[in-house]
Amino acid sequence: MGEKGILLVGLACLDIINIMESFPEEDTDSRCREQHWQRGGNASNSSVVLSQLGVKCQYFGTLAKHRLSEFIKDDLDKHGVTVDNCVYHDNCTVPTSCVIVNASNGTRTILHANKNLPELKLEDFERLNPNLYSWIHFEGRNIEEVMKMISFIEKFNNEQSAKDRITISLEMEKPKANVHELIHHGDVVFMSKDYAKYFGHSTAEEAINAFHPKLKKGATLVCAWGDKGAWGSDGSDGNIYHSQAYPPDQLLDTLGAGDTFNAGVICGLNQKQRLLEALTLGCKLAGRKCGLHGFDGVATGFV
Ligand SMILES: Nc1ncnc2c1ncn2[C@@H]1O[C@H](COP(=O)(O)OP(=O)(O)O)[C@@H](O)[C@H]1O
Ligand SMILES: *[C@@H]1O[C@H](CO)[C@@H](O)[C@H](O)[C@H]1NC(C)=O
Ligand SMILES: *[C@@H]1O[C@H](CO)[C@@H](O)[C@H](O)[C@H]1NC(C)=O
Ligand SMILES: *[C@@H]1O[C@H](CO)[C@@H](O)[C@H](O)[C@H]1NC(C)=O
Ligand SMILES: *[C@@H]1O[C@H](CO)[C@@H](O)[C@H](O)[C@H]1NC(C)=O
Ligand SMILES: *[C@@H]1O[C@H](CO)[C@@H](O)[C@H](O)[C@H]1NC(C)=O
């Protein structure tokens, strides 16, 4: 059967990035300095980075049965990410994010559309063979259904010996309705700076001290903080660790830095690195990513 892989669960979308000299005026016809299409989505971004790190990984989500999905699928294929288990839906449009970048001052205006693509259901998840995975990561969306999927893995784990249990990681990104329920269920929880700030914390350490007690016993809480690097509390020894950031010579593109960081931490911990080592790998990779457009070459020199 071979080595077990990592499964990343989330939504993949099409990002159309428009770079303008200045923000367009309403009811005018303007040219972009540059326009490109790229595959997006948090979990799908992380899967591309993990694959470049040499990890066997699979993206799992719903896709529209539509020609535009081929663009998403081809990009994942190109990066060696398996998409074979994705669930296709008829008569749906592909979720898209249109981004308008005002090159004069760097603002990004994002227009997200998901007309009718259904979210993943527990039934879809139950069709997977859990024996194939050492780690499953969930994007912080579709919470109600994700909670059911986590219960499914928890049941599976209860019947396994320690070495065959699946590690569950989760992202708590936007302080939406019931995201906080997730915190009790992750072995590794990634909390965003936005989430921490929303609850009034002005540093990662403060947020970690406040939220760590809500985790299940022995779990790890990780909080990245832009150019300050990242902090994590290790549930096995109770310590808080910090890695500095590793800025590139020139900041080119920070979109997807967090997704890259998560991939680095997951990769490290999945290989049984200590938390500090994994945080450092995450920050080094994310720093590298900030000096590149997109993800190509992000892991060069790390594997
Ligand atoms: N300006 C930056 N310089 C260096 N590293 C950065 C910078 N911004 C982000 N990073 C790296 O990316 C990681 C994730 O940062 P974060 O702010 O959470 O990203 P995002 O904005 O994508 O959510 C940080 O821990 C850091 O290592
Ligand atoms: C994923 O990566 C792409 C390409 O770097 C980026 O445009 C996008 O913002 C990232 N995140 C999401 C959620 O799509
Ligand atoms: C998709 O649309 C076609 C044409 O309207 C219809 O025949 C088909 O049943 C629809 N499929 C689903 C899954 O709704
Ligand atoms: C875009 O940048 C220009 C130059 O700084 C500024 O005048 C304009 O208001 C900006 N537009 C938006 C929507 O941010
Ligand atoms: C860009 O311009 C807009 C509109 O004038 C302004 O609100 C915004 O603060 C500016 N952003 C930056 C990063 O300068
Ligand atoms: C997920 O994507 C959103 C953009 O849609 C971004 O703001 C956020 O930082 C991403 N999460 C991580 C962990 O990077």
Side-chain angles (χ1 to χ4, degrees):
M1 197 172 71
E3 158 214 11
K4 292 190 181 195
I6 296 182
L7 184 76
L8 295 107
V9 184
L11 181 91
C13 59
L14 173 65
D15 289 354
I16 301 172
I17 317 285
N18 302 281
I19 301 178
M20 313 286 295
E21 295 303 342
S22 65
F23 197 82
E25 260 175 69
E26 189 173 339
D27 207 20
T28 59
D29 176 340
S30 25
R31 293 184 77 84
C32 298
R33 182 202 284 180
E34 216 182 288
Q35 183 184 71
H36 43 264
W37 288 26
Q38 55 201 20
R39 174 204 43 75
N42 291 119
S44 101
N45 281 351
S46 296
S47 69
V48 161
V49 176
L50 275 165
S51 183
Q52 290 185 57
L53 288 164
V55 176
K56 184 162 144 186
C57 79
Q58 198 175 108
Y59 167 74
F60 187 52
T62 53
L63 289 172
K65 204 179 269 175
H66 187 286
R67 276 184 312 160
L68 281 180
S69 290
E70 294 302 306
F71 178 82
I72 294 171
K73 203 177 140 306
D74 287 350
D75 188 70
L76 291 168
D77 273 345
K78 185 185 94 185
H79 286 99
V81 176
T82 310
V83 289
D84 300 346
N85 287 317
C86 285
V87 180
Y88 286 86
H89 288 281
D90 269 328
N91 300 343
C92 288
T93 56
V94 175
T96 52
S97 285
C98 252
V99 183
I100 302 172
V101 178
N102 182 355
S104 310
N105 81 348
T107 59
R108 302 168 191 291
T109 308
I110 302 179
L111 309 165
H112 189 70
N114 185 359
K115 192 164 145 202
N116 52 12
L117 181 66
E119 292 275 6
L120 213 51
K121 289 278 191 290
L122 175 66
E123 299 90 273
D124 303 322
F125 194 78
E126 284 174 338
R127 281 190 217 109
L128 301 174
N129 175 0
N131 293 297
L132 299 179
Y133 311 107
S134 59
W135 189 299
I136 301 183
H137 174 77
F138 294 94
E139 203 173 288
R141 57 177 304 109
N142 188 23
I143 309 299
E144 213 173 293
E145 239 15 64
V146 161
M147 286 295 293
K148 296 181 198 166
M149 298 176 203
I150 291 174
S151 300
F152 176 78
I153 307 169
E154 286 171 345
K155 256 182 243 141
F156 170 83
N157 279 345
N158 285 338
E159 292 156 12
Q160 309 298 313
S161 60
K163 73 168 188 12
D164 287 325
R165 284 186 198 133
I166 299 171
T167 303
I168 299 170
S169 63
L170 310 162
E171 190 192 12
M172 303 198 21
E173 195 215 319
K174 297 193 182 81
K176 284 180 291 201
N178 43 3
V179 175
H180 61 275
E181 291 173 24
L182 288 175
I183 198 168
H184 316 293
H185 296 276
D187 298 300
V188 177
V189 176
F190 293 96
M191 176 178 295
S192 73
K193 183 165 70 181
D194 286 354
Y195 194 92
K197 283 186 167 169
Y198 180 84
F199 288 97
H201 303 295
S202 53
T203 65
E205 251 182 311
E206 196 184 303
I208 284 185
N209 281 321
F211 282 100
H212 190 89
K214 298 185 193 292
L215 265 65
K216 73 181 186 193
K217 197 166 164 286
T220 293
L221 181 60
V222 173
C223 186
W225 211 270
D227 62 4
K228 303 276 189 299
W231 280 257
S233 56
D234 187 335
S236 63
D237 64 13
N239 292 331
I240 295 184
Y241 297 95
H242 169 237
S243 164
Q244 62 166 98
Y246 292 85
D249 296 335
Q250 198 194 349
L251 272 182
L252 277 183
D253 172 17
T254 58
L255 279 179
D259 299 328
T260 304
F261 168 80
N262 291 357
V265 174
I266 292 171
C267 176
L269 294 178
N270 187 54
Q271 290 170 3
K272 311 291 178 216
Q273 286 180 4
R274 303 299 308 269
L275 180 57
L276 178 59
E277 209 182 334
L279 290 171
T280 306
L281 175 61
C283 285
K284 285 185 172 169
L285 280 166
R288 163 75 65 77
K289 193 265 141 306
C290 292
L292 298 169
H293 287 293
F295 300 102
D296 288 342
V298 89
T300 308
F302 287 92
V303 282

